[in-house]
Structure formats: C-alpha cells, structure tokens
C-alpha cells in the first residue's frame, strides 16, 4: 500500500491593516465678526471712491457744458445749479453705490473686499440677493448714518459735527452686533439678509462664482 502524502496546510499571509483616514470636521459658515465686516468695507471703500470720483467728474463736465457758460479765468468760475446737483448728481451717486454692491451680491455674494476675508452676503434662505434685496440692504445700512447726520446738523450745524454724526451712525450698525443675540447688524435685521464667514474648504472664488452662475443659466 502506498503511503499517503501528508497534507501541507497553506498559511495565508497576514493582511496589512490600512489605517483609516479621519475625515476632517466639516466647518460650517458662521455669522461674520463685525470687525472683519468693517475692514472689508474699508477695502471696498477705496474702489467705491474711485468710481464715485469718475462719475462725479463726468457729470460735472456734462453739467458745465449744458447749464453754464464757461469763462476765460478762475474768477468767472461758477458752481453747478442746485437742481442739477440734487436731481442728477446725487441720484447718480446712489445708483453707482447700489450697482456696485448689487452686481457683486447677485453674482457671488461677495465684493472684492469681502472675498479677502471670506465673507458672503445672502438672504435668510441662504440664496444670493436680488436687486430688490440689495437695494433694501443698502438703504437699511444708510438709515442710521442718515438719522445721526440729521441729529448732528440740528445740534451743531458745522460740517465737522455732521461728518462725526454720520460716522457714528455707520459704526453703530456694527456695534449693534455685539448686543444682538445672533450677532446681526442693523442692516441684517431690517433687510432680512445676513453676512456669513465662509469656511476655507468651501470658499468659492469671486470669478469662479461669476462663471458658475453663468453656466447655471
């Protein structure tokens, strides 16, 4: 009888344990800090001043050609008519301001200054603002500076007092955040909008937001 060959047991190689990667905690948007919002406005303010200066220069040239006779020396220089300043130039400045913020808020929710600090303005539903919502937010932001300016003009009357009162009204919009339970500014509450601090991983560039919005149309 033939001897049976012993069965050799095949040992399986131990499998290496692949360490599982920890999924990073997903950071969520939070209410923007008032100081960051003020700094972003200062960034945008330089661009807005340049736009207003350009618009004012063009309107001044047009108004001079249409409403006044130009003299030959500085002694004959005249100022633009009051009606032209109040009904042409002032509304043009307001439209420039609304157009600047409205264009950026409608496209990506961010101006150039807001993009630097990862801020984004949306409505309470989390959607980008419409032209109407943008106008209401700008109007709400100007309410306190305008009210303080009127009070300052009644109390003091000088230009320094007026500018100080307007500046105090502007700062009050953001000081209000410190006393509000949700950290909202005055313009947030009056216009039903909100400015958020976006996380780094979900931050979308301004120009990418322009392109994505154009593709979705």
């Amino acid at each position: 009888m033939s001897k049976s060959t012993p069965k050799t047991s095949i040992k399986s190689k131990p499998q290496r344990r692949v360490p599982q990667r920890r999924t990073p905690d997903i950071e969520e948007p939070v209410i923007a800090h008032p100081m960051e919002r003020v700094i972003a406005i200062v960034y945008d303010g330089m661009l807005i001043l340049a736009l207003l200066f350009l618009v004012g220069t063009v309107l001044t040239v047009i108004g001079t050609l249409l409403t006044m006779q130009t003299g030959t020396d500085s002694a004959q220089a005249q100022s633009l008519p009051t009606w032209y300043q109040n009904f042409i130039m002032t509304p043009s400045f307001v439209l420039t301001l609304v157009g600047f913020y409205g264009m950026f808020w409608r496209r990506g929710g961010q101006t150039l200054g807001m993009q630097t600090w990862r801020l984004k303005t949306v409505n309470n539903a989390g959607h980008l603002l419409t032209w109407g919502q943008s106008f209401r937010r700008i109007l709400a932001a100007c309410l306190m500076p305008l009210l303080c300016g009127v009070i300052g003009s009644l109390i003091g009357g000088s230009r320094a007092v007026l500018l100080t009162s307007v500046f105090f009204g502007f700062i009050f919009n953001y000081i209000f955040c410190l006393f509000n339970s949700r950290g909202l500014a005055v313009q947030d509450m009056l216009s039903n909008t909100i400015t958020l601090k976006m996380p780094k991983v979900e931050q979308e560039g301004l120009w990418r937001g322009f392109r994505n919005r154009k593709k979705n149309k």
Side-chain angles (χ1 to χ4, degrees):
M1 295 178 63
S2 60
K3 295 181 179 181
S4 59
T5 57
K7 295 182 180 180
T8 57
S9 59
I10 301 175
K11 294 182 179 181
S12 59
K13 295 182 179 180
Q15 296 181 353
R16 294 181 179 179
R17 293 182 178 180
V18 180
Q20 296 181 353
R21 296 181 179 179
R22 293 183 178 180
T23 57
D25 296 334
I26 299 177
E27 186 181 356
E28 296 182 355
V30 296
I31 304 295
H33 192 273
M35 182 58 66
E36 293 178 338
R37 299 173 65 171
V38 172
I39 295 176
I41 291 176
V42 173
Y43 278 32
D44 292 329
M46 294 182 289
L47 180 56
I48 293 173
L49 288 177
L51 290 175
L52 294 178
F53 178 79
L54 178 61
V55 172
T57 302
V58 172
L59 292 178
T60 300
V61 172
I62 294 175
T64 301
L65 295 176
L66 295 179
T67 63
M68 295 189 301
Q69 295 181 354
T70 57
T72 57
D73 54 21
S74 59
Q76 297 176 342
Q78 301 177 7
S79 60
L80 291 169
T82 304
W83 67 265
Y84 187 84
Q85 298 181 34
N86 294 336
F87 296 102
I88 302 297
M89 298 189 69
T90 300
S92 299
F93 292 149
V94 174
L95 290 177
T96 301
L97 186 63
V98 173
F100 174 84
Y101 279 105
M103 181 184 67
F104 285 110
W105 285 342
R106 290 187 69 251
R107 292 293 181 178
Q110 298 173 305
T111 60
L112 297 177
M114 295 173 67
Q115 184 185 6
T116 304
W117 294 92
R118 306 200 319 271
L119 305 182
K120 187 173 185 178
T121 298
V122 294
N123 58 25
N124 286 344
H127 301 147
L128 297 178
L129 305 187
T130 62
W131 279 112
Q133 291 171 337
S134 300
F135 181 77
R136 286 195 297 270
R137 180 177 175 83
I138 294 173
L139 186 63
C142 295
L143 182 61
M144 286 305 301
L146 181 62
L147 180 60
C148 292
V150 171
I151 295 175
S153 63
L154 294 176
I155 295 176
S158 63
R159 178 172 295 183
V161 174
L162 177 61
L163 293 177
T164 303
S165 302
V166 171
F167 179 76
F168 176 78
F170 168 77
I171 294 299
F172 177 82
N173 286 338
Y174 299 98
I175 295 178
F176 185 82
C177 298
L178 303 176
F179 301 96
N180 183 266
S181 58
R182 296 180 58 195
L184 300 179
V186 174
Q187 59 268 28
D188 298 330
M189 298 184 62
L190 296 180
S191 62
N192 293 326
T193 58
I194 192 171
T195 298
L196 301 173
K197 175 80 170 183
M198 304 302 294
K200 291 182 179 180
V201 293
E202 296 182 2
Q203 173 68 5
E204 185 178 47
L206 178 64
W207 304 116
R208 185 181 299 177
F210 272 89
R211 292 196 298 267
N212 291 341
R213 186 176 178 89
K214 189 178 295 184
K215 290 180 181 179
N216 295 331
K217 287 184 177 181

